[in-house]
Amino acid sequence: MKRELFSVADEEFLTLLDRTSFAFNRAGIPYMVVGGVSTQACVAAYLNSIHGASLKEIEEKGIRLQDYLRATDDVDIAIRLDEQGYDKEAREINARNRIFSVLDDIVGDGEFISPTEDHIINIGLCRKGHVRPEFKLGVDGEIYDDKVVMFNVFRGPRDLNNTHLKEFEASLYDRFLNEAINVDIKYAPNVAVSLRIKRPEHTIATKIVNGRDKDIADVISILRQSRQAGCPIVHDMVEEILCSKDAKYDIQNEYLCKRYELLKELEKTL
């Protein structure tokens, strides 16, 4: 359990994600996990289906989960805060306070029984930020300096720091959030954690547009595992996102259409 980077196969990391889901749901704030952790959760659920087993049972069969789940030390979360009122400053203060309240709820009393009930997981807030808070994790009372996880909280398209994706995400942010799905990650026999994530088709569309090496690797992983699980992605949905005509100019985005062609070529290699 003592790792510098995390995946949903790490009990302490999964506990943090479970607390995060609980806190956002209790606060009534629409949210979804995106990015690398969304891919992890999606692939983990596919692996559960493929093997008919929990992640712990899959590992006991000698299958290396790290070959399927790309580790990370951050969690990207997209949310919606519909703050009312005409005073911009007051709305901003209220929004930040709501996020701070969620962070406090995630931490709670700082100690939680792990999903398998074999350990006590320690969660502490070492940086209280409304955009990039940081959590420190520990196991059975021993806190490790390398057990730090950063959250990237996006309250809307304006918060995206990748200019290459800003226009693409701006037009689809609400749709992606509204159509997010809940996945159950079966960690151990009779133990599952539910997480709200960006749906796989939307994740693939975003990652194929971004086009970094790790994004392409994530796309290949989702395509391969979804097919083996008997739950292939809905290509029409991805094509509609990337190749539909612009509502204003009534033309397709040539770059996005080329990215969709790349996706089809990638799938042929699997």
Side-chain angles (χ1 to χ4, degrees):
M1 297 178 73
K2 190 175 180 180
R3 304 175 187 172
E4 182 180 358
L5 297 176
F6 303 90
S7 79
V8 294
D10 295 305
E11 204 164 2
E12 64 270 45
F13 187 57
L14 194 59
T15 301
L16 174 64
L17 295 176
D18 188 34
R19 291 295 306 173
T20 301
S21 177
F22 165 81
F24 275 110
N25 286 331
R26 187 155 86 159
I29 298 175
Y31 88 100
M32 64 177 175
V33 175
V34 301
V37 177
S38 177
T39 300
Q40 282 189 26
C42 195
V43 171
Y46 289 143
L47 290 172
N48 289 149
S49 296
I50 292 168
H51 297 280
S54 68
L55 297 183
K56 293 289 285 185
E57 292 171 314
I58 293 171
E59 280 190 313
E60 289 168 0
K61 295 178 181 179
I63 297 172
R64 288 164 45 92
L65 291 176
Q66 59 264 44
D67 292 340
Y68 299 92
L69 305 174
R70 179 173 63 79
T72 185
D73 59 358
D74 61 16
V75 181
D76 298 325
I77 303 175
I79 67 174
R80 182 190 297 117
L81 291 174
D82 297 322
E83 304 301 334
Q84 304 297 320
Y86 295 102
D87 188 330
K88 182 178 179 180
E89 183 178 356
R91 290 199 305 270
E92 179 62 22
I93 291 173
N94 188 46
R96 294 187 182 194
N97 286 337
R98 292 187 70 190
I99 294 173
F100 291 153
S101 178
V102 168
L103 300 181
D104 290 337
D105 212 8
I106 291 172
V107 172
D109 62 8
E111 293 187 346
F112 306 95
I113 298 174
S114 68
T116 60
E117 299 186 355
D118 292 333
H119 301 280
I120 297 295
I121 305 301
N122 308 102
I123 301 177
L125 188 62
C126 54
R127 182 181 184 276
K128 191 171 185 177
H130 65 97
V131 176
R132 292 183 179 84
E134 293 183 1
F135 295 87
K136 185 168 287 189
L137 303 182
V139 181
D140 296 331
E142 187 171 358
I143 311 298
Y144 303 109
D145 289 337
D146 62 349
K147 295 286 186 180
V148 176
V149 181
M150 176 184 287
F151 279 16
N152 297 306
V153 181
F154 304 107
R155 287 157 51 187
R158 68 183 185 280
D159 292 333
L160 295 171
N161 52 21
N162 188 331
T163 55
H164 181 60
L165 279 175
K166 265 194 173 181
E167 184 176 349
F168 173 78
E169 287 278 19
S171 61
L172 294 163
Y173 189 91
D174 285 332
R175 174 179 173 179
F176 286 166
L177 193 55
N178 291 338
E179 297 179 14
I181 62 172
N182 293 314
V183 295
D184 291 327
I185 303 168
K186 297 175 184 176
Y187 179 77
N190 302 316
V191 176
V193 169
S194 182
L195 196 63
R196 190 159 184 80
I197 66 169
K198 194 175 192 177
R199 66 175 301 140
E201 289 82 3
H202 297 169
T203 296
I204 285 175
T206 302
K207 286 184 172 292
I208 203 74
V209 170
N210 207 12
R212 299 168 299 183
D213 288 347
K214 65 179 182 179
D215 292 312
I216 299 302
D218 283 349
V219 168
I220 291 173
S221 182
I222 293 174
L223 290 173
R224 180 177 288 136
Q225 303 311 320
S226 64
R227 182 185 294 179
Q228 291 186 30
C231 304
I233 65 158
V234 182
H235 272 276
D236 289 348
M237 186 180 298
V238 183
E239 183 178 13
E240 185 265 326
I241 290 171
L242 297 179
C243 300
S244 292
K245 290 184 178 180
D246 181 90
K248 183 176 181 179
Y249 300 104
D250 196 35
I251 58 173
Q252 292 177 314
N253 184 309
E254 184 177 350
Y255 173 76
L256 296 184
C257 287
K258 287 182 178 179
R259 302 310 292 178
Y260 180 66
E261 293 301 317
L262 171 62
L263 174 63
K264 291 195 292 184
E265 291 301 316
L266 278 175
E267 190 152 35
K268 290 178 183 178
T269 67
L270 303 180

